[in-house]
Amino acid sequence: MRITGGEWRSRRLLGPGKTLHIRPTPDAMRERAFAVLGDRVPDARFLDLFAGTGVNGLEALSRGARSVVFVERHRAAAKLISKNIDSFDLPPDRAELMVRVADAAVGQLARSGRAFDIAWADPPFEIWNEGLEAVEKLFESGLMSKGSIACLECPEKADVASALTPNLEIVRDLAGGASRVVMIQSTQR
C-alpha cells in the first residue's frame, strides 16, 4: 500500500497485516478517484470516514489538502492510522484522528460548526449502506460546504442510485474490480 500521487508519491504505509480485517482502497482505484477529484484536492478540508489505515486521507494530504479528519471506530485500526500519520511528521492542525463511530463523529463535527470540501467514506462492504447513510447525514447537517463532493467506496453491485435521497445525485461512478467509488453531490446549489 502506497501513496499514489503528490508530495509523498510512492511512499509506503503500514498496512493492516493479518490481524486487522481491513480492506484498504486499492492503489489503482485511489489513483483514479483522486485524478477525477483533481483540482478540488489542493487546500481542501477532507474527511476520511471509516478510515481503516488512513490511506485515503494521507493521499489527500500528499496531494495538497489543507487538513484531514480521520474517523475510525476500531481502536486497533486507529492505532495504525496514528502510526501512519506520525510517520509523516505533520503539524497537529493538518491531521486529526477521532476514534468514534461514523454517525457519532458526524454529529460531533456538525455541532462544532465545521465544514468539509471532500469526504471519503469507505465502510466494510457488508455495511456499505451505513457509509451511504453517513454521507447523507454529512449533507443534511451542513458539514459539506456548497459544491462539496462525497466519495462512497462500495461493492461493485451495490445499488447506490436507488438508495440515495432525492436531494443528492451521483456525479461520477468509478468501477474497478470488486469495488467502486461513487461520487455524490447535493442537488441544492
Side-chain angles (χ1 to χ4, degrees), residues 96-153:
E96 176 185 345
L97 174 60
M98 297 177 74
V99 184
R100 305 209 54 178
V101 176
D103 189 49
V106 167
Q108 182 179 342
L109 290 166
R111 287 188 297 279
S112 73
R114 301 190 47 190
F116 296 93
D117 306 298
I118 303 170
W120 190 294
D122 183 11
F125 279 180
E126 61 272 9
I127 58 165
W128 72 267
N129 56 325
E130 287 184 27
L132 178 59
E133 290 168 9
V135 164
E136 291 173 339
K137 287 179 183 176
L138 289 172
F139 285 101
E140 289 169 10
S141 68
L143 278 169
M144 299 300 285
S145 59
K146 186 176 181 179
S148 61
I149 193 164
C151 302
L152 172 66
E153 193 168 343

Coordinates of all heavy atoms in Angstrom, one line a residue, residues 96-153:
E96 N -6.2 15.2 12.2 CA -6.9 14.9 13.5 C -7.6 13.5 13.4 O -8.2 13.2 12.4 CB -8.0 16.0 13.6 CG -8.9 15.8 14.9 CD -10.0 16.8 14.9 OE1 -10.0 17.8 14.2 OE2 -10.9 16.5 15.7
L97 N -7.4 12.8 14.4 CA -8.0 11.4 14.5 C -9.1 11.4 15.5 O -8.9 11.7 16.7 CB -6.9 10.4 14.8 CG -7.3 8.9 15.1 CD1 -8.0 8.4 13.8 CD2 -6.1 8.1 15.4
M98 N -10.3 10.9 15.1 CA -11.4 10.7 16.0 C -11.7 9.2 16.1 O -12.0 8.6 15.1 CB -12.7 11.4 15.5 CG -12.5 12.9 15.4 SD -14.0 13.7 14.7 CE -15.1 13.6 16.1
V99 N -11.6 8.7 17.3 CA -11.9 7.2 17.5 C -13.4 7.2 17.9 O -13.7 7.2 19.1 CB -11.0 6.6 18.5 CG1 -11.2 5.1 18.6 CG2 -9.5 6.9 18.2
R100 N -14.2 7.1 16.9 CA -15.7 7.1 17.1 C -16.4 6.4 16.0 O -15.8 6.3 14.9 CB -16.2 8.5 17.2 CG -15.5 9.4 18.2 CD -16.3 10.5 18.8 NE -17.5 10.0 19.3 CZ -18.3 10.9 19.9 NH1 -18.0 12.1 20.0 NH2 -19.5 10.4 20.4
V101 N -17.6 6.0 16.2 CA -18.5 5.5 15.2 C -18.8 6.7 14.2 O -18.9 7.8 14.7 CB -19.8 4.9 15.8 CG1 -20.8 4.5 14.7 CG2 -19.5 3.8 16.7
A102 N -18.8 6.4 13.0 CA -19.0 7.5 12.0 C -20.2 8.4 12.3 O -20.1 9.6 12.2 CB -19.1 6.9 10.6
D103 N -21.3 7.8 12.6 CA -22.5 8.5 12.9 C -22.3 9.5 14.1 O -22.7 10.7 14.0 CB -23.7 7.6 13.2 CG -25.0 8.3 13.3 OD1 -25.3 9.1 12.4 OD2 -25.8 8.1 14.3
A104 N -21.7 9.1 15.1 CA -21.4 9.9 16.3 C -20.4 11.0 15.9 O -20.6 12.2 16.3 CB -20.9 9.1 17.5
A105 N -19.4 10.7 15.1 CA -18.4 11.7 14.7 C -19.1 12.8 13.8 O -18.8 13.9 14.0 CB -17.3 11.0 13.9
V106 N -20.0 12.4 12.9 CA -20.7 13.3 12.1 C -21.4 14.3 13.0 O -21.4 15.5 12.8 CB -21.6 12.6 11.1 CG1 -22.5 13.6 10.4 CG2 -20.7 11.9 10.0
G107 N -22.1 13.8 14.0 CA -22.9 14.6 14.9 C -22.0 15.6 15.7 O -22.3 16.8 15.8
Q108 N -20.9 15.1 16.2 CA -20.0 15.9 16.9 C -19.3 17.0 16.0 O -19.3 18.2 16.4 CB -18.8 15.1 17.5 CG -17.9 15.8 18.3 CD -16.8 15.0 18.9 OE1 -16.9 13.8 19.0 NE2 -15.7 15.6 19.3
L109 N -19.0 16.6 14.8 CA -18.4 17.6 13.9 C -19.4 18.7 13.5 O -19.1 19.8 13.4 CB -17.8 16.9 12.6 CG -16.6 16.1 12.9 CD1 -16.3 15.1 11.7 CD2 -15.4 17.0 13.1
A110 N -20.7 18.2 13.3 CA -21.7 19.2 12.9 C -21.9 20.2 14.1 O -22.1 21.4 13.8 CB -23.0 18.5 12.6
R111 N -21.9 19.7 15.3 CA -22.1 20.6 16.4 C -21.0 21.6 16.6 O -21.2 22.7 17.1 CB -22.3 19.8 17.7 CG -23.7 19.1 17.8 CD -23.9 18.5 19.2 NE -23.0 17.4 19.5 CZ -23.0 16.2 19.1 NH1 -24.0 15.8 18.3 NH2 -22.1 15.3 19.4
S112 N -19.8 21.2 16.1 CA -18.7 22.1 16.2 C -18.6 23.2 15.1 O -17.8 24.1 15.1 CB -17.4 21.3 16.1 OG -17.1 20.8 14.8
G113 N -19.6 23.1 14.1 CA -19.7 24.1 13.1 C -18.6 24.0 12.0 O -18.4 24.9 11.2
R114 N -18.0 22.8 11.9 CA -17.0 22.6 10.8 C -17.6 22.4 9.5 O -18.8 22.0 9.4 CB -16.1 21.5 11.2 CG -15.5 21.8 12.6 CD -14.4 21.1 13.1 NE -13.3 20.7 12.3 CZ -12.4 19.8 12.8 NH1 -12.6 19.2 14.0 NH2 -11.4 19.4 12.0
A115 N -16.8 22.5 8.4 CA -17.3 22.2 7.1 C -16.2 21.5 6.3 O -15.0 21.7 6.6 CB -17.7 23.5 6.4
F116 N -16.6 20.6 5.4 CA -15.6 19.9 4.6 C -15.9 20.1 3.1 O -17.0 20.3 2.7 CB -15.6 18.4 4.9 CG -15.2 18.1 6.4 CD1 -16.2 18.1 7.4 CD2 -13.9 18.0 6.7 CE1 -15.8 17.9 8.7 CE2 -13.5 17.8 8.0 CZ -14.5 17.7 9.0
D117 N -14.8 20.0 2.3 CA -14.9 20.2 0.9 C -15.1 18.8 0.2 O -15.7 18.6 -0.8 CB -13.7 20.9 0.3 CG -13.5 22.2 1.0 OD1 -14.4 23.1 0.9 OD2 -12.5 22.4 1.7
I118 N -14.4 17.8 0.8 CA -14.4 16.4 0.2 C -14.5 15.5 1.4 O -13.8 15.7 2.4 CB -13.1 16.1 -0.5 CG1 -12.9 17.1 -1.7 CG2 -13.1 14.7 -1.1 CD1 -11.5 17.0 -2.3
A119 N -15.4 14.5 1.3 CA -15.5 13.4 2.3 C -15.3 12.1 1.5 O -15.7 11.9 0.4 CB -16.8 13.4 2.9
W120 N -14.7 11.1 2.2 CA -14.5 9.8 1.6 C -15.0 8.8 2.7 O -14.5 8.8 3.8 CB -13.0 9.6 1.4 CG -12.7 8.3 0.6 CD1 -12.9 7.0 1.0 CD2 -12.2 8.2 -0.7 NE1 -12.6 6.1 0.0 CE2 -12.1 6.9 -1.0 CE3 -11.8 9.2 -1.7 CZ2 -11.6 6.4 -2.3 CZ3 -11.3 8.7 -2.9 CH2 -11.2 7.4 -3.2
A121 N -16.0 8.0 2.3 CA -16.5 7.0 3.2 C -16.2 5.6 2.6 O -16.6 5.3 1.5 CB -18.0 7.2 3.4
D122 N -15.4 4.8 3.4 CA -15.0 3.5 2.9 C -15.4 2.5 4.0 O -14.5 1.9 4.7 CB -13.5 3.5 2.6 CG -13.0 2.2 2.1 OD1 -13.9 1.3 1.7 OD2 -11.8 2.0 2.0
P123 N -16.7 2.2 4.2 CA -17.1 1.3 5.2 C -16.8 -0.2 4.8 O -16.5 -0.4 3.6 CB -18.6 1.5 5.3 CG -18.9 1.9 3.9 CD -17.8 2.7 3.4
P124 N -16.8 -1.1 5.8 CA -16.7 -2.5 5.4 C -17.9 -2.8 4.4 O -19.0 -2.2 4.5 CB -16.9 -3.3 6.7 CG -16.5 -2.3 7.7 CD -16.9 -0.9 7.2
F125 N -17.6 -3.5 3.3 CA -18.6 -3.7 2.3 C -19.9 -4.3 2.8 O -20.9 -4.1 2.2 CB -18.0 -4.6 1.1 CG -17.1 -3.7 0.2 CD1 -16.5 -4.3 -0.9 CD2 -16.9 -2.4 0.4 CE1 -15.7 -3.6 -1.8 CE2 -16.1 -1.6 -0.5 CZ -15.5 -2.3 -1.6
E126 N -19.8 -5.2 3.8 CA -21.1 -5.8 4.3 C -22.0 -4.7 4.9 O -23.2 -5.0 5.0 CB -20.8 -6.9 5.2 CG -20.1 -6.6 6.5 CD -18.6 -6.7 6.3 OE1 -18.0 -6.8 5.2 OE2 -17.9 -6.5 7.4
I127 N -21.5 -3.6 5.2 CA -22.3 -2.5 5.8 C -22.2 -1.2 4.9 O -22.2 -0.1 5.5 CB -22.0 -2.2 7.3 CG1 -20.6 -1.8 7.5 CG2 -22.4 -3.4 8.1 CD1 -20.3 -1.2 8.8
W128 N -22.0 -1.4 3.6 CA -21.8 -0.2 2.8 C -23.0 0.8 2.9 O -22.7 2.0 2.8 CB -21.7 -0.6 1.3 CG -22.9 -1.1 0.7 CD1 -23.4 -2.3 0.6 CD2 -23.9 -0.3 0.0 NE1 -24.6 -2.4 -0.1 CE2 -25.0 -1.1 -0.4 CE3 -24.1 1.1 -0.2 CZ2 -26.1 -0.6 -1.1 CZ3 -25.2 1.6 -0.9 CH2 -26.2 0.7 -1.3
N129 N -24.2 0.3 3.2 CA -25.3 1.3 3.4 C -25.1 2.2 4.6 O -25.6 3.3 4.6 CB -26.6 0.5 3.5 CG -26.6 -0.5 4.6 OD1 -25.6 -1.1 4.9 ND2 -27.7 -0.7 5.3
E130 N -24.3 1.8 5.6 CA -24.0 2.7 6.7 C -23.1 3.8 6.2 O -23.2 5.0 6.7 CB -23.3 1.9 7.8 CG -24.3 1.1 8.6 CD -23.7 0.4 9.8 OE1 -22.7 0.9 10.4 OE2 -24.1 -0.7 10.2
G131 N -22.3 3.5 5.3 CA -21.5 4.6 4.6 C -22.3 5.6 3.9 O -22.1 6.8 4.0
L132 N -23.3 5.1 3.2 CA -24.2 5.9 2.4 C -25.0 6.8 3.4 O -25.2 8.0 3.2 CB -25.2 5.1 1.5 CG -26.2 5.9 0.7 CD1 -25.5 7.0 -0.2 CD2 -27.1 5.0 -0.1
E133 N -25.5 6.2 4.5 CA -26.2 7.0 5.5 C -25.4 8.1 6.1 O -25.8 9.2 6.3 CB -26.7 6.0 6.6 CG -27.9 5.1 6.1 CD -28.2 4.0 7.1 OE1 -27.6 4.1 8.3 OE2 -28.9 3.1 6.8
A134 N -24.1 7.8 6.3 CA -23.2 8.8 6.9 C -23.0 9.9 5.9 O -23.0 11.1 6.2 CB -21.8 8.2 7.2
V135 N -22.8 9.6 4.6 CA -22.7 10.6 3.5 C -24.0 11.5 3.5 O -23.9 12.7 3.4 CB -22.5 9.9 2.2 CG1 -22.7 10.9 1.0 CG2 -21.0 9.4 2.1
E136 N -25.1 10.9 3.6 CA -26.4 11.7 3.6 C -26.4 12.6 4.8 O -26.8 13.8 4.6 CB -27.6 10.7 3.5 CG -27.7 10.0 2.2 CD -28.8 8.9 2.1 OE1 -29.2 8.4 3.2 OE2 -29.2 8.6 1.0
K137 N -26.0 12.1 5.9 CA -26.0 13.0 7.1 C -25.0 14.1 7.0 O -25.2 15.2 7.6 CB -25.7 12.1 8.4 CG -26.9 11.3 8.8 CD -26.6 10.4 10.0 CE -27.8 9.5 10.2 NZ -27.6 8.6 11.4
L138 N -23.9 13.9 6.3 CA -22.9 15.0 6.1 C -23.6 16.1 5.4 O -23.4 17.3 5.7 CB -21.8 14.5 5.3 CG -20.8 13.5 5.9 CD1 -19.8 13.0 4.9 CD2 -20.1 14.2 7.1
F139 N -24.4 15.8 4.3 CA -25.0 16.9 3.6 C -26.2 17.5 4.4 O -26.4 18.7 4.4 CB -25.5 16.3 2.2 CG -24.4 16.1 1.2 CD1 -23.9 14.9 1.0 CD2 -23.9 17.2 0.5 CE1 -22.9 14.7 0.1 CE2 -22.9 17.1 -0.4 CZ -22.4 15.8 -0.6
E140 N -27.0 16.6 5.1 CA -28.1 17.1 5.9 C -27.7 18.1 7.0 O -28.3 19.0 7.3 CB -28.9 16.0 6.5 CG -29.7 15.1 5.5 CD -30.2 13.8 6.1 OE1 -30.1 13.7 7.4 OE2 -30.7 13.0 5.4
S141 N -26.5 17.8 7.6 CA -26.1 18.5 8.8 C -25.4 19.8 8.4 O -25.0 20.6 9.3 CB -25.1 17.6 9.6 OG -23.9 17.4 8.8
G142 N -25.1 20.0 7.1 CA -24.3 21.2 6.7 C -22.8 21.1 6.8 O -22.1 22.0 6.6
L143 N -22.3 19.9 7.1 CA -20.9 19.7 7.2 C -20.2 19.7 5.8 O -19.0 20.1 5.7 CB -20.6 18.3 7.8 CG -20.6 18.2 9.3 CD1 -20.5 16.8 9.7 CD2 -19.4 19.0 9.9
M144 N -21.0 19.5 4.8 CA -20.5 19.6 3.4 C -20.8 20.9 2.9 O -22.0 21.3 2.8 CB -21.0 18.5 2.5 CG -20.7 17.0 3.0 SD -19.0 16.7 3.1 CE -18.6 16.5 1.4
S145 N -19.8 21.7 2.5 CA -19.9 23.0 2.0 C -20.5 23.0 0.6 O -20.6 22.0 -0.1 CB -18.6 23.8 2.0 OG -17.7 23.1 1.2
K146 N -21.0 24.2 0.2 CA -21.6 24.3 -1.2 C -20.6 23.8 -2.2 O -19.5 24.2 -2.2 CB -22.0 25.8 -1.4 CG -22.7 25.9 -2.7 CD -23.2 27.4 -2.8 CE -24.0 27.5 -4.1 NZ -24.5 28.9 -4.3
G147 N -21.1 23.0 -3.1 CA -20.2 22.4 -4.2 C -19.3 21.3 -3.7 O -18.5 20.8 -4.5
S148 N -19.4 20.9 -2.5 CA -18.5 19.8 -2.0 C -18.9 18.4 -2.6 O -20.0 18.3 -3.1 CB -18.5 19.8 -0.5 OG -19.8 19.5 0.0
I149 N -18.1 17.5 -2.4 CA -18.3 16.2 -3.0 C -18.0 15.1 -2.0 O -17.0 15.2 -1.2 CB -17.5 16.0 -4.3 CG1 -17.9 14.8 -5.1 CG2 -16.0 15.9 -4.0 CD1 -17.5 14.8 -6.5
A150 N -18.8 14.0 -2.0 CA -18.5 12.9 -1.1 C -18.3 11.7 -2.0 O -19.0 11.4 -2.9 CB -19.7 12.6 -0.2
C151 N -17.3 10.9 -1.6 CA -16.9 9.7 -2.3 C -17.3 8.5 -1.4 O -16.8 8.4 -0.3 CB -15.4 9.6 -2.6 SG -14.8 11.0 -3.5
L152 N -18.1 7.6 -1.9 CA -18.5 6.4 -1.2 C -17.9 5.2 -1.9 O -18.2 5.0 -3.1 CB -20.1 6.3 -1.2 CG -20.6 4.9 -0.7 CD1 -20.3 4.8 0.8 CD2 -22.1 4.8 -0.9
E153 N -17.1 4.5 -1.2 CA -16.5 3.3 -1.7 C -17.4 2.1 -1.3 O -17.8 2.0 -0.1 CB -15.1 3.1 -1.2 CG -14.3 2.0 -1.9 CD -12.9 2.0 -1.6 OE1 -12.3 3.0 -1.0 OE2 -12.2 1.0 -1.9

